[in-house]
Amino acid sequence: MNAVVEGEQVTSIESHLNQLSDLLVQVVNDGASIGFLPPMKQSEATDFVCRKITG
């Protein structure tokens, strides 16, 4: 299977916050071992992403 990955320069993360949170929920709930345990709630993912972005 071949995947195409496209990069883009992001000047504002707000428009991508939901996508990043959705991705985090999906990989955690699919069993990815990245420091979280499933089931992960959307609100937990959004809080985490916001904290990491704002430092």
Side-chain angles (χ1 to χ4, degrees):
M1 179 167 94
N2 294 327
V4 176
V5 177
E6 294 182 25
E8 77 179 73
Q9 185 171 352
V10 177
T11 57
S12 174
I13 197 67
E14 291 176 24
S15 63
H16 299 279
L17 182 60
N18 287 336
Q19 292 173 325
L20 290 169
S21 298
D22 289 344
L23 178 60
L24 181 57
V25 168
Q26 182 179 0
V27 298
V28 168
N29 290 343
D30 283 347
S33 178
I34 57 172
F36 299 98
L37 295 174
M40 181 173 225
K41 297 178 184 176
Q42 186 70 35
S43 60
E44 293 174 304
T46 301
D47 289 345
F48 175 79
V49 171
C50 285
R51 282 194 317 270
K52 287 300 180 181
I53 291 169
T54 60

